[in-house]
Amino acid sequence: EAGVTQFPSHSVIEKGQTVTLRCDPISGHDNLYWYRRVMGKEIKFLLHFVKESKQDESGMPNNRFLAERTGGTYSTLKVQPAELEDSGVYFCASSPKGAGTGVYEQYFGPGTRLTVT
Amino acid sequence: GQSLEQPSEVTAVEGAIVQINCTYQTSGFYGLSWYQQHDGGAPTFLSYNALDGLEETGRFSSFLSRSDSYGYLLLQELQMKDSASYFCAPAGSARQLTFGSGTQLTVLP
């Protein structure tokens, strides 16, 4: 079974530019999450999709961040325009549907390291 | 507010047993997860406690006491490959995880 994949693995952009990160969850996982770790800080929750619907986006830092999950499969996270403080590692995770405890077992991707200069 | 406390560093030798404690204060608590992370890579799921008590998965066990807002991860028969960062991560009602600074475990030969 393929794991969660993220693209690109690294991205270096200038302040003011736009970057789009992609996440492909494990096939069949309805739940998809975005997290990020900025330098020196903890991993922070950004948002949660259930299929194509945003279940919780309370962690999104501001309106420069836009996440989508078309068709309930892969997801994109767009940062526009990027600022210096957006630099960090962006992780995507997925978990299966259901009300059981298995939904709390989140499988993380390798992350995208974003550097804004 | 929310708070999460675990030791920043733990050192042990191969074959030993180590316990990593975690105290938390979060809103909408559903359960406590534990994750392992090597060198800043993808966090890997280790264990989840929805109810009080002990959960055992191979060499790893995890414990939760909801009344004390406390849990721990127990690693037995330590191996060199267990050297990594370990995070307790309370799960909220929307299934989001809250990560703290983690515990850096160093296993010595």
Side-chain angles (χ1 to χ4, degrees), chain A residues 22 57 63 68 80 113:
Chain A
R22 174 171 169 143
E57 52 184 333
N63 59 10
E68 295 180 324
Q80 179 182 29
R113 182 173 297 278

Side-chain angles (χ1 to χ4, degrees), chain A residues 1 4-5 21 23 25 27 51-52 55 59 69 76 86 89 109:
Chain A
E1 176 182 87
V4 176
T5 58
L21 314 180
C23 167
S27 177
K51 296 187 179 179
E52 66 275 7
Q55 182 77 12
R69 191 182 183 194
T76 58
D86 300 331
V89 182

Side-chain angles (χ1 to χ4, degrees), chain A residues 34-63:
Chain A
W34 283 97
Y35 295 84
R36 76 171 180 177
R37 185 174 196 170
V38 296
M39 192 62 68
K41 300 291 183 77
E42 298 85 10
I43 298 172
K44 293 287 191 185
F45 166 81
L46 296 178
L47 87 159
H48 169 210
F49 283 98
V50 177
K51 296 187 179 179
E52 66 275 7
S53 299
K54 291 176 185 174
Q55 182 77 12
D56 179 1
E57 52 184 333
S58 62
M60 295 288 263
N62 52 61
N63 59 10

Side-chain angles (χ1 to χ4, degrees), chain B residues 19-68:
Chain B
Q19 179 173 313
I20 299 174
N21 298 319
C22 169
T23 58
Y24 60 87
Q25 183 175 358
T26 63
S27 57
F29 178 80
Y30 265 56
L32 190 66
S33 296
W34 287 90
Y35 284 79
Q36 177 192 62
Q37 186 183 42
H38 282 98
D39 301 322
T44 302
F45 173 82
L46 294 177
S47 182
Y48 175 74
N49 292 72
L51 305 174
D52 284 1
L54 193 67
E55 292 281 343
E56 297 181 73
T57 308
R59 295 187 297 114
F60 296 168
S61 302
S62 59
F63 172 84
L64 175 64
S65 169
R66 285 173 169 267
S67 59
D68 296 322

